Amino acid sequence: MKYLCRLWICLFSLLAVPAVNAFTMTFSENQLNTMVTAVFPQQRTFDDVVFTFSDPFVELDPLEDEVNVKVTVLAEQNGQQLKAKAEISGQIVYHHQLAQLRLIEPRLDKLKVLENQAVVSDSLVNGVQRLEGKRVPVILLLDFDDLDMAAFGIQKPKRIDITSHGLLIEI
């Protein structure tokens, strides 16, 4: 009887303790780079030029509260191609309905043409160079549904912060 009474007291005390409101995890830049490759390459169209962003490399900037993604850019127009390296910078936001981590209002910075532009039309070269420093559409960084984090009991994030240790995600 004493054993049963103690068992009920233990169970009641466990139920009476308030549930932990949040679980946090921090992903390092290396871990993020591994996960981000799942959503690349990404394609966007600007001024009749199709841009394919690939080979992402993520860098976190906690001082500016920004994410910088170095990418390879393939620009295609009328059968011509131009390859470049660029950096996309922006603020990170979590889209609750789609369960996605995104860069909103990203800027295409530090554009450097890699291949000989002599064989590419001036309109394509100019179209690519005009985008440097400009805002581009939303860039997807992580798709939580694709990562299937629910299989590990991880729900949708409540808060996401860039810290000196990495990307902090509060569940």
Side-chain angles (χ1 to χ4, degrees):
M1 184 69 168
K2 284 184 180 181
Y3 176 74
L4 187 58
C5 186
R6 287 183 186 165
L7 180 63
W8 279 107
I9 290 171
C10 287
L11 286 175
F12 181 74
S13 65
L14 287 174
L15 294 174
V17 173
V20 175
N21 289 335
F23 171 73
T24 59
M25 56 188 161
T26 302
F27 293 106
S28 69
E29 285 182 354
N30 287 339
Q31 291 168 323
L32 277 175
N33 279 307
T34 300
M35 293 186 290
V36 166
T37 58
V39 295
F40 277 81
Q42 293 183 38
Q43 212 171 58
R44 303 289 186 268
T45 302
F46 315 98
D47 297 332
D48 297 324
V49 179
V50 177
F51 291 88
T52 303
F53 302 112
S54 62
D55 307 321
F57 182 80
V58 175
E59 294 177 332
L60 301 173
D61 186 348
L63 295 176
E64 296 293 325
D65 198 33
E66 261 190 355
V67 175
N68 302 311
V69 184
K70 294 178 180 177
V71 292
T72 299
V73 179
L74 179 64
E76 298 176 90
Q77 183 182 48
N78 300 327
Q80 294 184 340
Q81 295 183 341
L82 179 68
K83 202 170 199 178
K85 285 284 192 182
E87 188 172 298
I88 301 171
S89 308
Q91 301 290 316
I92 197 166
V93 169
Y94 179 72
H95 189 286
H96 288 280
Q97 285 117 349
L98 297 176
Q100 294 176 342
L101 195 58
R102 301 169 160 196
L103 280 183
I104 58 163
E105 297 185 11
R107 273 182 334 276
L108 186 65
D109 293 328
K110 300 178 185 173
L111 189 70
K112 179 183 175 190
V113 175
L114 295 178
E115 294 183 2
N116 185 1
Q117 53 188 327
V119 295
V120 178
S121 72
D122 287 341
S123 66
L124 180 56
V125 173
N126 292 336
V128 170
Q129 290 175 337
R130 270 196 323 263
L131 286 176
E132 188 171 9
K134 302 276 194 244
R135 300 268 181 215
V136 296
V138 170
I139 299 292
L140 176 63
L141 288 179
L142 295 175
D143 188 328
F144 284 83
D145 286 340
D146 284 350
L147 292 175
D148 198 20
M149 296 179 87
F152 300 103
I154 298 173
Q155 305 160 0
K156 307 296 185 231
K158 294 178 184 175
R159 178 175 65 106
I160 296 174
D161 283 322
I162 298 170
T163 70
S164 59
H165 301 290
L167 185 67
L168 180 131
I169 299 177
E170 181 181 308
I171 309 294

